[in-house]
Amino acid sequence: MTVMGDFEDILEINVIHELEWLREEFDFLFRFKKNRLSQEDIEIANQIIYSVIDKYSGSIDDKIVDLLSKSIEEIEECYPGLIN
């Protein structure tokens, strides 16, 4: 069905844009704090991540889950110790 295909494509594009925002937001918030992260920084980072995860937790689309997982892994690599 075309409608379902279009919806999935639109959803995937929206997820990609949100994940780009997420990476940019982490760069903005934590770029200069990499070596001196406070407990508050860690709490903020986790709140942001869990908010995005919760938003898409009901998704059964493997592409969306994969995109989300890869983005979180990239953030964890850039900012070790920031995400629990």
Side-chain angles (χ1 to χ4, degrees):
M1 180 186 292
T2 305
V3 173
M4 188 59 158
D6 291 345
F7 173 76
E8 290 172 356
D9 291 342
I10 291 168
L11 181 60
E12 186 176 335
I13 290 168
N14 287 338
V15 170
I16 290 169
H17 284 100
E18 185 162 9
L19 294 175
E20 288 171 358
W21 167 86
L22 181 65
R23 287 188 294 270
E24 290 171 2
E25 190 70 14
F26 268 76
D27 286 340
F28 178 77
L29 291 172
F30 306 112
R31 174 181 7 183
F32 299 111
K33 296 181 173 187
K34 276 188 178 182
N35 297 324
R36 50 184 181 13
L37 294 167
S38 69
Q39 184 60 36
E40 184 179 17
D41 293 330
I42 293 169
E43 289 172 8
I44 290 169
N46 283 289
Q47 286 175 354
I48 294 169
I49 290 292
Y50 291 132
S51 173
V52 173
I53 290 172
D54 285 346
K55 185 173 183 178
Y56 297 107
S57 64
S59 175
I60 56 171
D61 188 339
D62 290 338
K63 288 181 188 177
I64 291 173
V65 172
D66 189 44
L67 288 169
L68 185 58
S69 296
K70 286 180 182 179
S71 293
I72 292 171
E73 287 174 9
E74 290 173 7
I75 291 170
E76 287 176 329
E77 287 175 13
C78 289
Y79 304 98
L82 189 58
I83 301 172
N84 295 339

